[in-house]
Amino acid sequence: MTMPKKSRPHSSSTAVVRTRIAPSPTGMPHIGTLYQALFDYAFAKRHKGSFLIRIEDTDQERSVQGAEEALYDAFDWLGIPEDESPRKGGSVGPYRQSERLDLYKQHALELVKKGHAYYCFCSKERLEEVRKQQSASKQVPMYDRHCLALVSEEIQTRLDAGEKPVIRMKIPQGEKIVCRDEVRGDIVFDSNLIDDQVLLKSDGFPTYHLAVVVDDHFMKISHIVRGEEWISSLPKHKLLYDWFGWDMPPMYHTPLLRNPDKSKMSKRHGHTSVVWYQEHGILPEALRNFLALLGWSHPKDAEIFSLDEFISSFDLKDLKAVGPIFDPAKLEWMNGEYIRMLPVEELAKRLQEYNEKFLKSVYSIELIHKTVPLVQTRLKTFQEYDGYCHFFIEAPRSFEKDLTAERDVIKSIAGVLEKFHEQEWQAEALGTRLQTYAEKQNIPFKSFFMTLRVALTGKKITPPLNESMEILGKEETLKRLK
Ligand code: GLU
């Protein structure tokens, strides 16, 4: 394929905007699916249109039970509700491809009738043999059009005898097929390099190519956003639209997400499953903001913006063609910013929900409330909460600093603290008294407070010490020191 200079980008049409995300239910929801869906959603909402979910379950062997529900959970969590889908219904359903088989068959047969498609009875073994020969002679592996020569009587006899053929596209030979990708401009394909794609499999299920074209047409999709891995399918889809006599909606191919080392974000490398972000304690609003910036820049270069702000300024024509780098460190930074923006009450509520779901440690809501002001400025993810706060629910079993030589200091601190009345046990008073004591004893503050910190928490880095002692209470603090 060759790519001439980008021509004028398509501008948003004034017709009703309908976008769709079309995931295959083959596993846990992928972060790339949410990334694309976010653009579909924002564009549809900006134009007061509809955003659809269509389940592309035509590969029955790869379909996984529970995957569809997991997808809905992921969309709900991210906060981008669809208008039409298998679970919500709508006027152009059914929204699962496995429930639309007749429609695909009817359209495959229409193409056979028009002479754009043909039956193929070749066995797997024969196809395998052809492929082997082609690769041995360094040819592009393609179907050799063996069945294109069959005459109609023979086809009928074999069909009557119960043979189960596939239906293939009859790709025209010697043509340049010009296709348009709204992100990259016009792309020219040499038809001689395109395989006679199977449209309908022998089990009556369509392939992606037939089903996607038929469905996008009948579901009245106005703008298609999909991953750049589908660019090579563009000429096949263009031909199908032409043969059916339908208009092809503008297509936007988003670049693949990449790891910071520029490699393709894959299961092995990055965290591709949406569940990972939930377990890690990433806020959905932070993930939304982060994903939006992977394909688009804010007109005023803002880094932090709300979903409403995104919707009001996003246009598909602004999508970028360069592979966006998925930098987990930036996501964590952004998540921290969102954690700091939450009102204390809300943060406590969310932390409690998170703890109940993902952490084994049990924190009472009272304890969470008390600790939130201490950790709000420090947390980058909810997962870190337990690391900062575990000492509140359990005395340390190991210590990041050897305290053997500090026994006397610790004892004398306990002596100072013992004199406090319960009512006096407050962060500020504790801090002042301990400072005076350290000064009198000529112990440098830094090592004094470090010793106390490690003795109480086991750690060198913790929430503020005086406030922590106040929360621990007099009895527990002295117990640990002793
Ligand atoms: N089912 C395809 C996928 O899982 C959809 C591609 C498209 O959006 O057309 O990627």
Side-chain angles (χ1 to χ4, degrees), residues 20-26 33 36 40 54-58 62 97 208 212-213 216 224-227 229-230 237 251-253:
R20 55 54 167 190
I21 185 84
S24 302
T26 54
T33 306
Q36 300 214 329
D40 283 311
R54 179 173 71 231
I55 297 294
E56 302 211 325
D57 56 348
T58 55
R62 290 183 60 227
Q97 289 187 328
Y208 162 70
V212 77
V213 169
D216 283 337
I224 295 176
V225 183
R226 62 184 184 184
E229 68 269 31
W230 299 111
H237 298 178
M251 299 259 190
Y252 299 79
H253 292 88

Coordinates of all heavy atoms in Angstrom, one line a residue, residues 20-26 33 36 40 54-58 62 97 208 212-213 216 224-227 229-230 237 251-253, ligand 1:
R20 N -19.9 3.5 17.5 CA -20.1 2.2 18.2 C -18.7 1.7 18.6 O -17.7 2.1 18.0 CB -20.7 1.2 17.2 CG -20.1 1.0 15.8 CD -18.8 0.6 15.8 NE -18.3 0.2 14.5 CZ -17.0 -0.4 14.4 NH1 -16.2 -0.5 15.4 NH2 -16.6 -0.8 13.2
I21 N -18.7 0.9 19.6 CA -17.5 0.1 19.9 C -18.0 -1.4 19.7 O -19.1 -1.7 20.0 CB -17.0 0.4 21.3 CG1 -15.7 -0.4 21.6 CG2 -18.0 0.0 22.4 CD1 -14.5 0.4 21.2
A22 N -17.1 -2.2 19.1 CA -17.5 -3.5 18.7 C -16.6 -4.6 19.2 O -15.9 -5.2 18.4 CB -17.6 -3.5 17.2
P23 N -16.5 -4.7 20.5 CA -15.6 -5.7 21.1 C -16.0 -7.2 20.8 O -17.1 -7.5 20.7 CB -15.6 -5.4 22.6 CG -16.8 -4.7 22.8 CD -17.3 -4.1 21.5
S24 N -15.0 -8.0 20.7 CA -15.2 -9.4 20.7 C -15.0 -10.0 22.1 O -14.0 -9.6 22.8 CB -14.2 -10.1 19.8 OG -14.2 -9.6 18.5
P25 N -16.0 -10.8 22.6 CA -15.9 -11.2 24.0 C -14.9 -12.4 24.2 O -15.3 -13.5 24.5 CB -17.4 -11.6 24.2 CG -17.9 -12.1 22.9 CD -17.1 -11.3 21.9
T26 N -13.7 -12.1 24.1 CA -12.7 -13.2 24.1 C -11.8 -13.2 25.3 O -10.8 -13.9 25.4 CB -11.8 -13.1 22.8 OG1 -11.2 -11.7 22.8 CG2 -12.5 -13.3 21.6
T33 N -9.7 -1.1 24.4 CA -11.1 -1.0 24.1 C -11.7 0.2 24.7 O -12.5 1.0 24.1 CB -11.9 -2.3 24.6 OG1 -11.2 -3.4 24.0 CG2 -13.3 -2.3 24.2
Q36 N -10.6 3.4 22.9 CA -11.4 3.8 21.7 C -12.8 4.2 22.0 O -13.3 5.1 21.4 CB -11.4 2.6 20.8 CG -10.1 2.1 20.3 CD -10.0 1.6 19.0 OE1 -11.0 1.0 18.5 NE2 -8.9 1.8 18.3
D40 N -15.3 7.4 20.9 CA -16.7 7.2 20.4 C -17.7 7.9 21.2 O -18.6 8.6 20.7 CB -17.0 5.7 20.4 CG -16.3 5.0 19.3 OD1 -16.4 5.4 18.1 OD2 -15.7 3.9 19.5
R54 N -21.7 -3.1 20.3 CA -22.1 -4.3 19.5 C -21.1 -5.4 19.9 O -19.9 -5.2 19.9 CB -22.0 -4.0 18.1 CG -22.4 -5.2 17.2 CD -22.5 -4.8 15.7 NE -21.2 -4.5 15.2 CZ -20.9 -3.4 14.5 NH1 -21.8 -2.5 14.3 NH2 -19.7 -3.3 13.9
I55 N -21.7 -6.5 20.2 CA -20.8 -7.6 20.6 C -20.5 -8.5 19.4 O -21.4 -9.1 18.8 CB -21.5 -8.5 21.7 CG1 -21.7 -7.6 23.0 CG2 -20.7 -9.7 22.0 CD1 -20.4 -7.2 23.7
E56 N -19.2 -8.5 19.0 CA -18.8 -9.3 17.8 C -18.4 -10.7 18.2 O -17.2 -11.0 18.4 CB -17.7 -8.5 17.1 CG -18.2 -7.1 16.7 CD -17.6 -6.5 15.4 OE1 -16.4 -6.8 15.2 OE2 -18.3 -5.8 14.7
D57 N -19.4 -11.5 18.4 CA -19.1 -12.9 18.9 C -19.2 -13.9 17.7 O -19.8 -15.0 17.9 CB -20.0 -13.2 20.0 CG -21.5 -13.1 19.6 OD1 -21.8 -12.5 18.5 OD2 -22.4 -13.6 20.4
T58 N -18.6 -13.6 16.6 CA -18.7 -14.6 15.5 C -17.7 -15.7 15.5 O -17.8 -16.7 14.9 CB -18.6 -13.9 14.1 OG1 -17.4 -13.1 14.1 CG2 -19.7 -12.9 13.9
R62 N -13.4 -18.7 20.2 CA -12.6 -17.8 21.0 C -13.5 -17.1 22.1 O -13.0 -16.4 22.9 CB -11.9 -16.8 20.2 CG -10.7 -17.5 19.4 CD -10.0 -16.4 18.6 NE -9.4 -15.4 19.4 CZ -9.4 -14.1 19.2 NH1 -10.1 -13.6 18.1 NH2 -8.8 -13.2 19.9
Q97 N -23.7 -10.2 17.3 CA -23.7 -10.7 15.9 C -24.2 -12.2 15.8 O -24.7 -12.5 14.8 CB -22.2 -10.6 15.4 CG -21.9 -9.1 15.2 CD -20.6 -8.9 14.5 OE1 -19.6 -9.7 14.7 NE2 -20.5 -7.9 13.7
Y208 N -15.4 -11.4 10.3 CA -15.5 -10.0 10.8 C -15.9 -9.1 9.6 O -16.7 -8.2 9.8 CB -14.1 -9.6 11.4 CG -13.9 -8.1 11.5 CD1 -14.6 -7.4 12.4 CD2 -13.0 -7.5 10.6 CE1 -14.4 -6.0 12.5 CE2 -12.8 -6.1 10.7 CZ -13.5 -5.4 11.7 OH -13.3 -4.0 11.8
V212 N -19.0 -6.8 9.9 CA -18.8 -5.4 10.4 C -19.4 -4.4 9.4 O -20.0 -3.4 9.7 CB -17.3 -5.1 10.6 CG1 -16.6 -4.9 9.3 CG2 -17.1 -3.9 11.5
V213 N -19.3 -4.7 8.1 CA -19.9 -3.8 7.1 C -21.4 -3.8 7.1 O -22.1 -2.8 7.1 CB -19.3 -4.2 5.6 CG1 -20.1 -3.5 4.6 CG2 -17.8 -3.9 5.5
D216 N -22.5 -2.1 10.5 CA -22.3 -0.7 10.6 C -23.3 0.0 9.7 O -23.8 1.1 10.0 CB -20.9 -0.3 10.2 CG -19.9 -0.6 11.3 OD1 -20.3 -0.6 12.5 OD2 -18.7 -0.8 11.0
I224 N -16.8 5.8 12.1 CA -16.2 4.6 12.7 C -14.8 4.9 13.2 O -14.0 5.4 12.5 CB -16.1 3.5 11.6 CG1 -17.6 3.1 11.2 CG2 -15.4 2.3 12.1 CD1 -17.6 2.1 10.0
V225 N -14.6 4.5 14.5 CA -13.3 4.6 15.1 C -12.8 3.2 15.4 O -13.6 2.4 16.1 CB -13.4 5.4 16.4 CG1 -12.0 5.6 17.0 CG2 -14.1 6.7 16.3
R226 N -11.7 2.8 14.9 CA -11.2 1.5 15.2 C -9.7 1.5 15.2 O -9.0 2.5 14.7 CB -11.8 0.4 14.2 CG -11.4 0.7 12.8 CD -12.1 -0.3 11.9 NE -11.7 -0.2 10.5 CZ -12.2 -0.9 9.5 NH1 -13.1 -1.8 9.7 NH2 -11.7 -0.7 8.3
G227 N -9.1 0.4 15.6 CA -7.6 0.4 15.7 C -6.9 0.3 14.4 O -7.5 -0.2 13.4
E229 N -4.8 -1.6 13.3 CA -4.6 -3.0 12.8 C -5.6 -3.3 11.7 O -5.4 -4.3 11.0 CB -4.6 -4.0 13.9 CG -5.9 -4.2 14.6 CD -6.1 -3.3 15.8 OE1 -5.6 -2.2 15.8 OE2 -6.8 -3.8 16.8
W230 N -6.7 -2.5 11.6 CA -7.7 -2.8 10.6 C -7.5 -2.0 9.3 O -8.3 -2.1 8.4 CB -9.1 -2.5 11.1 CG -9.4 -3.3 12.3 CD1 -9.5 -2.9 13.6 CD2 -9.6 -4.8 12.3 NE1 -9.8 -4.0 14.5 CE2 -9.8 -5.1 13.7 CE3 -9.6 -5.7 11.4 CZ2 -10.1 -6.4 14.1 CZ3 -9.8 -7.1 11.8 CH2 -10.0 -7.4 13.1
H237 N -13.3 -3.7 2.8 CA -14.6 -3.1 3.3 C -15.1 -2.1 2.3 O -16.3 -2.0 2.0 CB -14.3 -2.4 4.6 CG -13.9 -3.5 5.7 ND1 -13.6 -3.1 7.0 CD2 -13.7 -4.8 5.6 CE1 -13.3 -4.2 7.6 NE2 -13.3 -5.2 6.8
M251 N -13.9 6.8 8.3 CA -13.2 5.8 9.2 C -12.0 6.5 9.8 O -11.2 7.2 9.1 CB -12.6 4.7 8.3 CG -13.6 3.9 7.6 SD -13.9 2.4 8.5 CE -14.9 1.5 7.3
Y252 N -11.9 6.3 11.1 CA -10.7 6.9 11.9 C -10.0 5.7 12.5 O -10.5 5.0 13.3 CB -11.2 7.8 13.0 CG -12.0 9.0 12.4 CD1 -13.4 8.8 12.1 CD2 -11.5 10.2 12.3 CE1 -14.1 9.9 11.6 CE2 -12.2 11.3 11.8 CZ -13.5 11.1 11.5 OH -14.2 12.2 11.0
H253 N -8.7 5.5 12.1 CA -8.0 4.4 12.6 C -7.0 5.0 13.7 O -6.1 5.8 13.4 CB -7.2 3.7 11.5 CG -8.1 2.9 10.6 ND1 -8.7 3.5 9.5 CD2 -8.6 1.7 10.7 CE1 -9.4 2.6 8.9 NE2 -9.4 1.5 9.6
Ligands
GLU1 N1 -14.4 -6.9 16.8 C1 -13.3 -6.1 16.4 C2 -12.3 -6.0 17.5 O1 -12.4 -6.7 18.4 C3 -13.9 -4.7 16.1 C4 -13.1 -3.9 15.1 C5 -13.9 -2.7 14.7 O2 -14.0 -1.8 15.5 O3 -14.3 -2.7 13.5 O4 -11.3 -5.4 17.4

